[in-house]
Amino acid sequence: MSDGFENTEGVRLQKVLANAGVASRRVAEQLIVEGRVRVNGVVVTELGSRIDPDNDLVDVDGTAVQLDQSKRYVMLNKPRGIVSSMKDDRGRPDLRRYTKEWTERLYNVGRLDADTSGLLVLTNDGELAHVLAHPSFGVTKVYIAKVEGRVTPQTIQRLTKGVDLEDGPIAADKARLLSTSDAEGGSLVELTLHSGRNRIVRRMMAEVGHPVVELVRRQFGPLHLGTLPVGRARELTKVERGALLTLARRDSGATDTPSRQATDETSPGDQETR
């Protein structure tokens, strides 16, 4: 695409927006004229502008637009007892049973250990998978941990201040006590982390004297598990896809590079961090 967006071989921007489900072509034209549409980070206001949907990145009001309809973005509420792999070499129950609805070859973004349930993203978008899974990009995850014992405010403060583990110090981005139970002698704690270290939540809670009994990931970046039942998967909504793509493009610094097709090498999982 040329700097002036005059690519006669491309597709008119308003048609691209309409095909992507952003708005009708007439409304899309209005969005362009109002300066609310950017192509590769540059505001475009000319209605005759043409782009290459296969290579150009478009956003409206700062939210990324999915142009490649071959990409799939799926949320799974992973049950306990399932390993975060599309094929487990030890024969344990894996994720394949939850991807039969889609013909595309999906991969998990990061991992949840077998004893942890909750939100797992499946996709065939390798570029997005790399950004979301790699600890260096700092994508936050929120966990609810049922732990042994009565957690005190001092313990919560210690979690956010930092604890020393065998592989180095670690601090929660946020931590709060949700409830305690005199009858069961346990507590519910919410932890927000961006670390990708191995079983980090369990190790942190054990270090402060409250071993984890049950662990659920409720949030991954902008995605919330909501009411999705355990063992169910669904495609992300348009709003969720936009939020996820916006995060991935921002953190990767992408402005004019198309997403790669996912492969085993381009969609690395983080460690089994929970």
Side-chain angles (χ1 to χ4, degrees):
M1 186 182 70
S2 68
D3 293 339
F5 309 112
E6 297 296 335
N7 181 4
T8 59
E9 299 299 321
V11 183
R12 288 186 180 272
L13 182 54
Q14 57 264 42
K15 182 178 180 180
V16 171
L17 293 174
N19 290 344
V22 173
S24 68
R25 193 174 301 192
R26 179 169 296 181
V27 173
E29 290 175 350
Q30 183 176 348
L31 294 174
I32 295 169
V33 171
E34 292 175 354
R36 298 165 61 183
V37 180
R38 297 190 306 173
V39 179
N40 299 332
V42 179
V43 174
V44 178
T45 58
E46 296 295 329
L47 291 180
S49 303
R50 292 175 178 269
I51 70 166
D52 179 357
D54 293 331
N55 292 285
D56 294 325
L57 300 179
V58 176
D59 65 79
V60 178
D61 292 334
T63 298
V65 176
Q66 180 189 355
L67 301 184
D68 186 349
Q69 298 303 310
S70 70
K71 295 295 190 292
R72 290 289 174 264
Y73 306 94
V74 174
M75 178 190 298
L76 168 68
N77 188 347
K78 186 191 84 68
R80 295 174 66 182
I82 303 295
V83 296
S84 294
S85 172
M86 288 301 171
K87 186 176 182 181
D88 183 63
D89 55 9
R90 293 163 58 185
R92 296 172 296 178
D94 55 39
L95 298 172
R96 284 177 292 177
R97 65 188 63 190
Y98 305 108
T99 63
K100 295 177 181 178
E101 180 180 343
W102 293 276
T103 57
E104 295 84 3
R105 190 179 180 187
L106 302 179
Y107 298 86
N108 49 297
V109 178
R111 297 174 184 267
L112 292 174
D113 68 46
D115 293 330
T116 300
S117 62
L119 199 163
L120 194 62
V121 177
L122 308 172
T123 186
N124 60 345
D125 186 337
E127 188 74 24
L128 177 137
H130 172 72
V131 172
L132 295 182
H134 202 286
S136 65
F137 293 106
V139 178
T140 58
K141 303 107 176 176
V142 179
Y143 305 89
I144 305 296
K146 181 180 180 180
V147 302
E148 297 179 5
R150 292 178 60 86
V151 175
T152 65
Q154 290 75 22
T155 299
I156 294 296
Q157 184 177 26
R158 185 180 172 193
L159 289 167
T160 55
K161 188 175 181 180
V163 296
D164 290 319
L165 302 177
E166 65 274 12
D167 54 354
I170 182 70
D173 298 324
K174 297 178 183 177
R176 63 178 179 137
L177 177 62
L178 299 179
S179 68
T180 58
S181 172
D182 292 327
E184 298 181 4
S187 304
L188 282 181
V189 177
E190 180 184 89
L191 288 177
T192 302
L193 295 162
H194 64 269
S195 171
R197 285 155 66 177
N198 184 41
R199 298 174 68 87
I200 192 64
V201 173
R202 296 178 185 276
R203 292 194 290 135
M204 289 179 71
M205 295 310 303
E207 179 65 24
V208 298
H210 297 281
V212 170
V213 178
E214 293 182 22
L215 188 60
V216 180
R217 181 159 70 186
R218 297 291 308 176
Q219 183 175 341
F220 186 91
L223 304 179
H224 297 260
L225 194 58
T227 59
L228 184 66
V230 175
R232 295 289 298 276
R234 66 167 176 84
E235 288 202 53
L236 299 188
T237 65
K238 183 172 66 175
V239 172
E240 289 171 332
R241 293 196 305 271
L244 203 62
L245 290 169
T246 300
L247 173 67
R249 291 179 189 178
R250 182 198 70 196
D251 287 349
S252 67
T255 57
D256 58 359
T257 303
S259 297
R260 297 194 303 265
Q261 184 70 23
T263 67
D264 288 321
E265 291 72 33
T266 62
S267 57
D270 57 7
Q271 298 296 315
E272 294 195 9
T273 56
R274 292 8 114 190

